[in-house]
Amino acid sequence: MTTERTAPAGKRTHIGRRLLPARVAPANLIERLALPGAWLALVIVFGALRPTEFLTAGNFESIFGSQAVLVVLTCGLLIPLTAGDYDLSITGTLMLSQMMLGVLQAQHGWALSTVIPLCLATGAVVGSVNGALVMVFGIDPFIVTLGTGTFLQGIVLWISNSMSFSGISTDLVNVVVVDRFLGIPLEFYYGLGLCAVLWYLFEFTAMGRRLLFVGRGRDVARLSGLRVGRLRWGALVASGVISAAAGILYAGTTGSADPTSGSSYLLPAFAAAFLGATTIAPGRFNPWGSFVAVYFLVTGITGLSLLGVRSFTQDLFYGGALVIAVTLSQLARSRAAHESGPRGTS
């Protein structure tokens, strides 16, 4: 005779090797949907205040089509964050990848089929160096990636001679911003697709579960037989590759390579990652939460701009959002850890 064990609302139950969600309590459902609800509220408020400017197809096409680089960059950041590490070199990698396209393709005429794989390989090298310094020498990843990112910015200024380069191939520009589907540039769908891939990785693969396990408790993960160092190293390599892809997307978006503009993405990426950890799957860094967070933030900034608020609002909005998001994310993670305390398995 077998018996069934029912988990309390909001908990999770183990079935074999799978971790399946149990019934979600109303309070938890509200928390999961709070940020999407706030995003909808922003749309309603700004739509009511500026209907002829905000509620237009062109404005929404601009909102959705302008943030693909940030979505991709944030997705790259999510992987080491899930494993419990920071990667502050993401914008340095983005700028280096973008500048390689500007120098090699726009200035020297190299083919995109050669430069793009070279950019991605460079991102992998950056991630490998970060991983080696963290794993082999035991240096804090915050310090390592901060130094690496600054070093990469120096390389970008050196190889560009502090100059911008225009003339990125129209083959790249076309498939990023010129070609559209439903009126929205294709780059939006690249970011959407990457979010779907990461969601599948985190939710339905052993690799994703191992990364989450490592991020929740490295000592326990190590005692459980996981190769913690290899997983953390691999997360930094993946972050480097995706950051380089964001640089390629950035070059296709602007049609040029600028040695400094990419650095402005660092704060928004962290704000989106931590704010995203408060929604959809509260307490966990998750791609759909970050996707919503990116567009929630840009909707707020766009609406405030239409209201005539001065340009420094963007820094106030992103900085304030990051502080609030980190606080709420930490509270959500603490509660999730408490709720997933010792319990039986069936």
Side-chain angles (χ1 to χ4, degrees):
M1 183 176 69
T2 61
T3 60
E4 292 185 354
R5 183 175 299 165
T6 303
K11 301 280 188 177
R12 292 177 180 264
T13 56
H14 290 277
I15 300 181
R17 296 178 62 87
R18 294 289 303 277
L19 191 64
L20 298 178
R23 188 161 49 101
V24 179
N28 288 344
L29 182 62
I30 292 173
E31 183 180 19
R32 290 169 184 262
L33 300 179
L35 189 61
W39 183 19
L40 178 60
L42 280 182
V43 173
I44 294 173
V45 169
F46 290 130
L49 294 175
R50 289 288 189 274
T52 59
E53 300 172 54
F54 189 83
L55 296 179
T56 64
N59 183 51
F60 284 106
E61 289 171 7
S62 175
I63 288 175
F64 285 111
S66 65
Q67 299 300 308
V69 174
L70 180 56
V71 170
V72 172
L73 192 67
T74 304
C75 283
L77 178 62
L78 290 180
I79 301 176
L81 283 177
T82 299
D85 291 318
Y86 289 93
D87 186 356
L88 300 177
S89 67
I90 52 173
T91 51
T93 306
L94 178 151
M95 289 189 291
L96 180 59
S97 175
Q98 180 202 32
M99 189 52 66
M100 288 175 64
L101 273 165
V103 173
L104 297 178
Q105 189 276 313
Q107 187 177 37
H108 295 290
W110 288 30
L112 284 176
S113 59
T114 300
V115 180
I116 288 178
L118 186 59
C119 291
L120 297 176
T122 301
V125 170
V126 172
S128 297
V129 171
N130 285 336
L133 293 172
V134 172
M135 300 302 124
V136 177
F137 297 99
I139 307 174
D140 189 289
F142 185 93
I143 301 300
V144 167
T145 57
L146 177 61
T148 303
T150 305
F151 180 78
L152 293 175
Q153 291 180 37
I155 291 180
V156 169
L157 291 173
W158 173 41
I159 64 176
S160 67
N161 198 25
S162 300
M163 297 172 56
S164 298
F165 297 92
S166 58
I168 297 295
S169 173
T170 55
D171 291 339
L172 178 61
V173 175
N174 287 342
V175 298
V176 173
V177 293
V178 175
D179 296 338
R180 295 174 175 243
F181 178 69
L182 300 178
I184 302 174
L186 293 182
E187 60 178 337
F188 167 78
Y189 301 100
Y190 302 148
L192 187 68
L194 181 57
C195 285
V197 170
L198 281 187
W199 169 74
Y200 182 84
L201 171 70
F202 289 154
E203 295 293 332
F204 299 106
T205 69
M207 178 67 69
R209 291 299 178 179
R210 288 168 185 163
L211 284 172
L212 180 62
F213 197 18
V214 169
R216 289 291 173 86
R218 288 174 188 164
D219 291 337
V220 175
R222 192 174 289 108
L223 291 173
S224 300
L226 297 183
R227 296 180 176 180
V228 173
R230 181 174 296 183
L231 287 166
R232 293 174 64 197
W233 198 330
L236 289 169
V237 172
S239 177
V241 173
I242 295 176
S243 298
I248 296 169
L249 201 62
Y250 192 31
T253 300
T254 62
S256 62
D258 184 277
T260 58
S261 62
S263 59
S264 63
Y265 280 99
L266 185 61
L267 180 61
F270 272 91
F274 279 94
L275 189 59
T278 67
T279 189
I280 309 300
R284 290 172 47 194
F285 295 106
N286 66 93
W288 293 127
S290 295
F291 181 85
V292 172
V294 166
Y295 289 103
F296 166 78
L297 291 170
V298 73
T299 299
I301 292 170
T302 301
L304 290 173
S305 298
L306 291 176
L307 291 176
V309 178
R310 296 172 63 182
S311 59
F312 59 75
T313 302
Q314 178 168 324
D315 292 334
L316 294 176
F317 207 81
Y318 278 129
L322 178 58
V323 173
I324 295 171
V326 170
T327 303
L328 294 178
S329 175
Q330 184 60 39
L331 291 174
R333 288 168 67 87
S334 298
R335 184 175 61 257
H338 176 73
E339 291 179 351
S340 61
R343 59 181 180 271
T345 60
S346 58

